[in-house]
């Protein structure tokens, strides 16, 4: 697995913006929480204290700092472009993160971004790290639900592509997943992180339609068990969402210009 090259990453913004079907790109340039791309959506900070946009990060020189219990969101009604659903729906979520060890709930999953209202059985799509299912931990996980609730016969949604390689802490990494209506694929630093039986993961049920009262778009946490949780701790230097499954060459090229 390649180690991220900061000189390469600084060239990526323009290429992301030119990639077809980009919905939103947040690169936090100059401390902005507004997205670039097809839509100009604003991330709203939530949780205790203030969320800082720090002058650090290999893409724009800025990144959002998340402490545990902090996250960002966009109300569902304010981000229709991110409400991706349907039998034939496709999605790609890509993020530049520097994760840190958690102290409050160190073994809990880490949600990066998506529409995933687990409490109300209105899951759609979400990029996770450290999912702790199927004998996994610390890897990139692409979660997709075509039913909103748990996988049939299970307590939780178990449908996810899960890579083989741990996402290192205290280092910048590109993490992401794609879904083309047939396969969910998880990527680490531009490469499909193959894991037999888990990545790619076959899934043909599409993406659930959460309706008018479905999930908000959340970054750094999701709503589960009646409250926000699955917090991400660390810095996020970029976040991009596409309403198309980028292919393996595109995912690699966005990392390795």
């Amino acid at each position: 697995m390649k180690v991220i090259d900061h000189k390469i990453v600084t060239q990526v913004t323009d290429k992301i913006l030119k990639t077809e079907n980009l919905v939103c790109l947040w690169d936090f340039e100059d401390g902005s929480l507004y997205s670039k791309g097809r839509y100009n959506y604003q991330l709203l900070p939530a949780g205790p204290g203030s969320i800082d946009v720090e002058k650090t990060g290999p893409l724009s020189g800025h990144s959002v700092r998340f402490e545990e219990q902090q996250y960002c969101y966009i109300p569902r009604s304010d981000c229709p472009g991110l409400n991706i659903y349907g039998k034939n729906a496709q999605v790609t979520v890509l993020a530049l993160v520097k994760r840190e060890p958690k102290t409050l709930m160190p073994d809990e999953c880490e949600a990066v971004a998506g529409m995933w209202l687990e409490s109300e059985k209105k899951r759609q799509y979400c990029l996770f790290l450290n999912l702790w299912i199927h004998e996994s931990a610390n890897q990139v996980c692409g979660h997709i639900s075509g039913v909103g609730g748990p996988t049939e016969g299970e307590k939780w949604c178990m449908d996810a592509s899960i890579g083989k390689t741990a996402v290192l802490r205290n280092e910048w990494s590109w993490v992401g997943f794609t879904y083309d209506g047939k396969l969910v694929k998880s990527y680490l630093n531009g490469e499909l992180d193959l894991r037999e039986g888990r990545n790619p993961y076959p899934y043909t049920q599409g993406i659930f339609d959460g309706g008018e009262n479905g999930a908000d778009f959340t970054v750094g946490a999701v709503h589960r068990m009646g409250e926000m949780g699955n917090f991400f701790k660390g810095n996020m230097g970029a976040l991009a969402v596409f309403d198309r499954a980028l292919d393996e060459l595109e995912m690699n090229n966005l990392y390795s210009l």
Side-chain angles (χ1 to χ4, degrees):
M1 183 62 60
K2 294 181 292 186
V3 176
I4 197 163
D5 184 331
H6 291 194
K7 292 181 180 180
I8 290 174
V9 174
T10 57
Q11 306 172 52
V12 170
T13 299
D14 286 345
K15 194 156 191 179
I16 293 176
L17 291 172
K18 292 175 182 177
T19 301
E20 292 183 3
N21 292 82
L22 174 68
V23 178
C24 291
L25 167 65
W26 289 271
D27 65 2
F28 311 113
E29 185 177 14
D30 297 325
S32 175
L33 294 179
Y34 283 89
S35 63
K36 301 173 181 179
R38 192 189 312 163
Y39 298 101
N40 189 221
Y41 292 152
Q42 183 184 19
L43 294 175
L44 303 176
S50 61
I51 292 180
D52 296 323
V53 179
E54 299 181 342
K55 292 183 178 180
T56 181
L59 193 65
S60 70
H62 292 80
S63 61
V64 172
R65 170 72 189 178
F66 291 100
E67 300 293 345
E68 286 181 79
Q69 299 185 320
Q70 295 180 331
Y71 63 99
C72 290
Y73 75 102
I74 309 172
R76 185 178 186 82
S77 59
D78 292 344
C79 59
L82 293 168
N83 181 19
I84 298 168
Y85 65 89
K87 179 65 176 177
N88 299 312
Q90 299 189 11
V91 68
T92 297
V93 183
L94 180 63
L96 177 61
V97 299
K98 185 169 71 171
R99 66 189 292 243
E100 296 180 8
K102 300 202 295 185
T103 56
L104 298 179
M105 298 188 73
D107 295 329
E108 191 184 44
C109 309
E110 299 165 40
V112 177
M115 282 187 154
W116 199 257
L117 181 51
E118 190 170 308
S119 299
E120 303 295 331
K121 298 181 180 179
K122 293 186 176 182
R123 302 167 173 89
Q124 291 179 232
Y125 66 92
C126 193
L127 172 62
F128 277 86
L129 308 176
N130 200 31
L131 203 52
W132 286 102
I133 62 173
H134 300 307
E135 300 179 347
S136 68
N138 296 307
Q139 298 101 320
V140 181
C141 309
H143 236 339
I144 291 289
S145 178
V147 297
T151 301
E152 185 176 358
E154 302 284 353
K155 185 178 180 179
W156 312 108
C157 177
M158 304 293 284
D159 297 305
S161 59
I162 303 174
K164 183 178 181 180
T165 309
V167 180
L168 298 178
R169 292 183 172 91
N170 302 310
E171 291 190 12
W172 286 105
S173 300
W174 276 109
V175 296
F177 83 94
T178 67
Y179 176 57
D180 64 1
K182 297 178 181 178
L183 295 172
V184 193
K185 299 179 179 180
S186 290
Y187 290 80
L188 176 59
N189 290 335
E191 293 184 355
L192 179 63
D193 190 22
L194 292 168
R195 180 183 172 196
E196 186 175 358
R198 295 297 169 202
N199 190 36
Y201 178 78
Y203 193 75
T204 59
Q205 296 188 54
I207 301 178
F208 181 71
D209 179 1
E212 184 177 347
N213 297 314
D216 294 335
F217 183 77
T218 57
V219 180
V222 295
H223 202 280
R224 89 287 179 267
M225 296 188 289
E227 62 183 4
M228 296 302 295
N230 291 344
F231 294 104
F232 168 84
K233 181 180 180 181
N235 284 60
M236 184 176 298
L239 173 63
V241 181
F242 301 80
D243 56 10
R244 175 176 67 88
L246 275 60
D247 62 33
E248 293 180 32
L249 180 59
E250 289 176 305
M251 293 291 278
N252 183 262
N253 283 343
L254 289 181
Y255 170 75
S256 56
L257 280 173

